[in-house]
Amino acid sequence: MKRIYLVGFMGCGKSAVGRRLSFLLKLPFYDMDKEIVRQTGMTIPEIFEQHGEEYFRNLETQFLKNHSHDNCIVSTGGGVALREENRKIMRETGLVLFLDAPFREIWRRIHNDVNRPIVRNSTREEIEALFKSRYRHYKAAAHITIRTEFRTLRQITQYAAFQVNRLKGE
């Protein structure tokens, strides 16, 4: 297991869990969206507005293919698991953890976030339909599903660390 990938819908806690897991396991942490912003010099909304979603999805795939760091934690973007190629890369190069949060909890976290182009331009019903359409892709990508409902960030992180260490044989 070279990398630990966190997948799930926007707002499920990938970045927050990734940062804490990085500290707990003493591994470097990479937030895919932040890395893409750093590499392109553009915000995610700017990338979507100027180049479109397909271009952004290609950047995500390129990140997975070209990321040169092993023994690290990668928080992926919410749409990464949609592409079969991405699911294959992640499953072959690391352990994929799906942070499974119910939609009502996700909506509570994201509905006012101006940095999410999809949220800015969609209704709650449209976002929920997107959530439902993506769910099976997260399940298909995952080696382990972690239910986050009724768990604190600390509990989720400790459970993720437990699973990683269990699979490493520690």
Side-chain angles (χ1 to χ4, degrees):
M1 168 181 21
K2 295 178 182 168
R3 298 183 189 139
I4 300 160
Y5 294 100
L6 300 172
V7 301
F9 200 68
M10 60 183 131
C12 73
K14 297 180 299 286
S15 296
V17 170
R19 280 190 298 274
R20 284 171 170 76
L21 195 57
S22 164
F23 178 78
L24 209 56
L25 298 176
K26 296 175 178 43
L27 293 172
F29 169 66
Y30 299 92
D31 182 307
M32 183 182 284
D33 285 348
K34 286 191 171 128
E35 291 298 312
I36 289 172
V37 166
R38 187 180 59 74
Q39 289 168 4
T40 62
M42 301 169 74
T43 66
I44 307 276
E46 287 170 344
I47 295 169
F48 269 73
E49 287 165 20
Q50 293 178 29
H51 300 286
E53 183 174 357
E54 185 66 19
Y55 178 84
F56 178 73
R57 298 297 170 212
N58 289 335
L59 291 174
E60 291 177 322
T61 301
Q62 288 309 309
F63 176 89
L64 290 174
K65 286 180 176 177
N66 300 329
H67 188 64
S68 58
H69 302 279
D70 285 336
N71 300 311
C72 67
I73 297 161
V74 177
S75 165
T76 66
V80 167
L82 299 178
R83 286 189 175 177
E84 185 176 346
E85 178 182 13
N86 293 349
R87 293 192 301 268
K88 186 174 190 289
I89 292 168
M90 289 187 295
R91 287 184 63 85
E92 289 176 356
T93 61
L95 175 68
V96 185
L97 304 177
F98 167 32
L99 299 183
D100 186 2
F103 181 75
R104 68 182 174 281
E105 181 62 25
I106 285 171
W107 180 252
R108 187 182 63 74
R109 295 177 190 169
I110 68 170
H111 75 279
N112 286 325
D113 191 338
V114 297
N115 290 312
R116 298 183 191 271
I118 294 172
V119 176
R120 285 195 331 215
N121 302 317
S122 308
T123 65
R124 178 188 171 124
E125 292 72 26
E126 290 168 332
I127 300 292
E128 189 166 11
L130 185 65
F131 170 83
K132 289 176 179 172
S133 72
R134 288 182 174 185
Y135 191 85
R136 66 185 171 90
H137 298 291
Y138 302 136
K139 291 294 276 187
H143 290 106
I144 296 173
T145 297
I146 300 175
R147 303 250 337 145
T148 64
E149 191 172 26
F150 308 121
R151 289 186 173 151
T152 65
L153 201 47
R154 183 176 182 191
Q155 289 170 324
I156 295 162
T157 305
Q158 287 177 330
Y159 182 72
F162 166 77
Q163 291 294 347
V164 169
N165 288 329
R166 179 181 67 83
L167 291 169
K168 283 198 307 194
E170 293 179 6

